[in-house]
Amino acid sequence: MSRNYSVEGTKTFLYWSIALLVFGLWTLKDGWFPSQAKIDAKTVEELKNFMLFNKTLTLLVLPASAVCAYIHRVVR
């Protein structure tokens, strides 16, 4: 006799995927296209480090968002 378990999935990975996508798009904007106010407020060295940090964070967060979306879609 086999048992059928009806386990309801959660939407946690979907929520994380959306949050990471929004955060990744924000860091993408700041890393590659900083506003004029940010450019004026920082020195050249600070701006260079700020943009490098945001570009690196973008390259980490956007794939993490895709992984969370994949997990949500495949593992139900």
Side-chain angles (χ1 to χ4, degrees):
M1 229 156 73
S2 67
R3 295 181 182 178
N4 289 333
Y5 294 103
S6 178
V7 178
E8 188 177 323
T10 64
K11 294 189 178 191
T12 305
F13 283 103
L14 176 64
Y15 299 146
W16 273 104
S17 175
I18 292 169
L20 288 173
L21 179 65
V22 169
F23 185 59
L25 293 175
W26 179 49
T27 58
L28 177 83
K29 185 226 168 266
D30 268 354
W32 273 274
F33 311 107
S35 65
Q36 190 63 38
K38 290 224 196 280
I39 292 172
D40 293 340
K42 298 186 182 299
T43 65
V44 173
E45 189 64 30
E46 287 175 339
L47 184 64
K48 180 180 162 188
N49 289 336
F50 173 78
M51 290 177 67
L52 180 64
F53 174 77
N54 280 322
K55 287 179 181 182
T56 305
L57 192 59
T58 300
L59 295 176
L60 293 173
V61 170
L62 289 180
S65 173
V67 167
C68 286
Y70 177 78
I71 290 172
H72 170 73
R73 194 72 176 138
V74 171
V75 181
R76 284 195 180 208

